[in-house]
């Protein structure tokens, strides 16, 4: 996975996530929307709307005082925890 920051301010972040599709992007967007301090999270994979861009671009808007990179890190840890919990439950069910 390759990441490239496109724009970053104190309360907004746009980051390209090369090689990913809707599957991953929906998961990380959902985790962001459940993260404290996140006002909005969305992504775009439409090349016509993103100037020919084919890799998804994740956009995050945070509330005052929340760094969007910190919010993304928190959301990433949340996804990892959900994955670990699912693996544990799945193995227990076998």
């Amino acid at each position: 996975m390759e990441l490239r920051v496109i724009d970053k301010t104190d309360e907004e972040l746009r980051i390209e996530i090369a090689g990913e599709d809707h599957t991953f992007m929906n998961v990380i967007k959902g985790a962001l929307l459940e993260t404290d301090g996140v006002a909005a999270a969305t992504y775009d994979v439409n090349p016509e709307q993103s100037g020919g861009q084919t890799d998804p671009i994740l956009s995050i808007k945070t509330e005052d005082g929340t760094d969007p990179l910190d919010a993304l890190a928190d959301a990433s840890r949340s996804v990892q925890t959900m994955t670990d919990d699912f693996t544990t439950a799945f193995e227990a069910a076998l």
Side-chain angles (χ1 to χ4, degrees), residues 4 6 9 11 14 24 29 31-32 34 37 39 41 43 50 52 61 79 83 90:
R4 182 174 67 90
I6 298 169
T9 67
E11 296 172 353
R14 286 178 20 108
F24 176 79
K29 179 186 85 167
L32 278 161
E34 294 177 1
Y43 70 93
S50 59
K61 171 94 172 103
V79 169
T83 302
F90 179 76

Side-chain angles (χ1 to χ4, degrees), residues 44-55:
D44 179 26
V45 292
N46 186 341
E48 286 129 20
Q49 292 179 348
S50 59
Q53 181 68 37
T54 57
D55 288 318

Side-chain angles (χ1 to χ4, degrees), residues 2-46:
E2 190 174 322
L3 306 176
R4 182 174 67 90
V5 173
I6 298 169
D7 294 311
K8 162 91 171 62
T9 67
D10 290 343
E11 296 172 353
E12 293 186 34
L13 173 67
R14 286 178 20 108
I15 187 168
E16 177 184 50
I17 304 177
E20 294 303 329
D21 59 18
H22 291 288
T23 303
F24 176 79
M25 297 307 293
N26 276 313
V27 170
I28 197 68
K29 179 186 85 167
L32 278 161
L33 292 173
E34 294 177 1
T35 300
D36 289 339
V38 173
T42 189
Y43 70 93
D44 179 26
V45 292
N46 186 341

